[in-house]
Amino acid sequence: MSHIVTIQTEVRCRESVTAACRRLRLPPPTEGTHRLFTSEATGLAVALPAWRYPVVCELPTGTLRYDHYGGRWGDPRQLDRFLQGYAVERATLVARRSGHAVHEEPIADGSIRLVVQMEGAA
């Protein structure tokens, strides 16, 4: 039996942020206060490829702070890649902690299908 799930991502898990960075071969995230053009944000910073300023994850709220100046200071597709990687890593972590096996299937359109095998499910 198949179940389709839509995931709206809030970035709240440090371990999954780190795993997403590793998956995408990004530098490890760094904790602290980070400059975003004329403002600052405090949290876990992710350095996306060719972005002028980092994306700062405020884990307690799940909020992301960034300034890509309408795409001039960073390609929004890189942020989409990070959010996809985070969602896959988070879902996989939660499923495995619950004792389920997880299999990942890349799709030609760039999306990723996660198959979670639940014991005794038909």
Side-chain angles (χ1 to χ4, degrees), residues 9-116:
T9 306
E10 291 183 355
V11 178
R12 293 179 179 267
C13 174
R14 178 180 310 275
E15 185 177 357
S16 299
V17 169
T18 301
C21 288
R22 192 171 35 251
R23 163 188 287 268
L24 299 173
R25 298 188 174 138
L26 300 175
T30 57
E31 186 73 47
T33 298
H34 307 275
R35 189 170 77 95
L36 302 176
F37 189 53
T38 58
S39 64
E40 293 182 333
T42 300
L44 194 59
V46 174
L48 297 177
W51 275 51
R52 183 173 295 185
Y53 300 104
V55 173
V56 180
C57 309
E58 296 178 350
L59 300 179
T61 63
T63 303
L64 297 179
R65 303 276 182 216
Y66 58 89
D67 187 351
H68 65 22
Y69 193 43
R72 292 182 192 98
W73 293 345
D75 185 344
R77 290 177 294 189
Q78 294 295 334
L79 179 58
D80 294 342
R81 284 183 62 233
F82 169 72
L83 288 173
Q84 179 189 50
Y86 174 83
V88 168
E89 293 294 339
R90 183 68 184 143
T92 299
L93 180 67
V94 170
R96 287 189 175 145
R97 282 184 179 164
S98 298
H100 306 302
V102 179
H103 175 71
E104 192 175 313
E105 297 174 5
I107 308 296
D109 67 0
S111 59
I112 300 170
R113 176 181 296 138
L114 286 181
V115 178
V116 179

